[in-house]
């Protein structure tokens, strides 16, 4: 595994590790009347809006440049994690770097299989936003936070930064989960 993949994997593992606690936090969020949230990542190249009802909680920044926000909706029991990290010093990727994104997905799958014994990958998609930014989408299920969850993880990179957006929902609300993913991917 390359240094580039290792760095990407560290960010992805950090996201995956906290999922159990994050699901619990989603159930205790303070308000279902929270305003719509605009999210901007990768210097504005990856932007989207979350609908009303999501409360934002900043995640602790790491010394190596990782930062992010946890968005939770108590009504739908949905969690969205938006995180960014620096790539290794001296490494820069294109907005749609297929080799980097494919390697990141492979590393992510391996990490999910190790950390979540009943992880089941449902699908993987390669997408390109209208801005030219490449995305990889991985859909799966696993037991987290005391119950079965449906997860979609979106990965992107540009320049010296990488972004991960993970949406976690209960599997009984597949239609709402898919609607939210389409909203994020389209940037609306």
């Amino acid at each position: 595994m390359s240094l580039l993949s290792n760095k990407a994997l560290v960010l992805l593992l950090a996201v995956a590790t906290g999922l159990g606690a994050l699901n619990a936090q989603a159930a205790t969020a303070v308000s279902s009347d929270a305003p719509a949230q605009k999210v901007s990542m990768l210097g504005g190249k990856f932007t989207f809006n979350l609908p009303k009802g999501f409360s934002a909680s900043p995640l602790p920044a790491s010394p190596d440049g990782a930062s992010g926000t946890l968005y939770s909706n108590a009504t739908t029991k949905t969690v969205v994690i938006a995180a960014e990290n620096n790539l290794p010093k001296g490494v820069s990727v294109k907005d749609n770097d297929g080799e980097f994104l494919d390697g990141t997905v492979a590393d992510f799958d391996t990490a999910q299989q190790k950390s979540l014994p009943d992880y089941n990958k449902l699908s993987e998609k390669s997408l390109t936003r209208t801005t030219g930014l490449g995305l990889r989408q991985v859909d799966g299920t696993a037991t987290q936070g005391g119950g079965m969850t449906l997860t979609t993880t979106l990965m992107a990179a540009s320049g010296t930064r990488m972004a991960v957006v993970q949406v976690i929902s209960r599997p009984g609300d597949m239609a709402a989960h898919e609607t939210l993913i389409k909203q994020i991917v389209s940037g609306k």
Side-chain angles (χ1 to χ4, degrees), residues 28-187:
T28 59
V30 293
S31 173
S32 62
D33 296 333
Q37 301 278 341
K38 181 171 177 123
V39 180
S40 180
M41 305 172 78
L42 299 177
K45 292 182 180 182
F46 188 9
T47 61
F48 56 91
N49 294 298
L50 293 173
K52 289 182 180 181
F54 280 90
S55 298
S57 302
L59 298 172
S62 74
D64 65 351
S67 62
T69 304
L70 166 78
Y71 301 92
S72 59
N73 185 313
T75 303
T76 63
K77 298 201 181 336
T78 302
V79 174
V80 177
I81 305 161
E84 285 188 82
N85 200 1
N86 292 323
L87 295 176
K89 188 173 182 163
V91 174
S92 184
V93 297
K94 301 176 287 182
D95 285 354
N96 194 358
D97 194 319
E99 183 179 344
F100 173 81
L101 292 171
D102 291 344
T104 300
V105 167
D107 293 343
F108 176 76
D109 285 341
T110 300
Q112 291 293 85
Q113 293 291 338
K114 287 180 182 176
S115 65
L116 300 168
D118 66 344
Y119 173 72
N120 179 33
K121 181 177 173 180
L122 301 175
S123 67
E124 177 183 328
K125 296 178 186 172
S126 176
L127 309 165
T128 305
R129 295 187 85 189
T130 57
T131 61
L133 183 68
L135 298 175
R136 292 299 183 273
Q137 176 180 330
V138 178
D139 301 302
T141 60
T143 302
Q144 301 177 82
M148 185 57 70
T149 60
L150 176 63
T151 64
T152 296
T153 304
L154 299 164
M155 296 163 249
S158 177
T160 60
R161 301 279 289 168
M162 178 183 178
V164 176
V165 175
Q166 190 159 52
V167 179
I168 307 153
S169 306
R170 295 293 173 197
D173 201 4
M174 179 75 86
H177 183 90
E178 289 177 356
T179 298
L180 182 56
I181 297 305
K182 286 178 185 173
Q183 186 172 340
I184 291 170
V185 169
S186 71

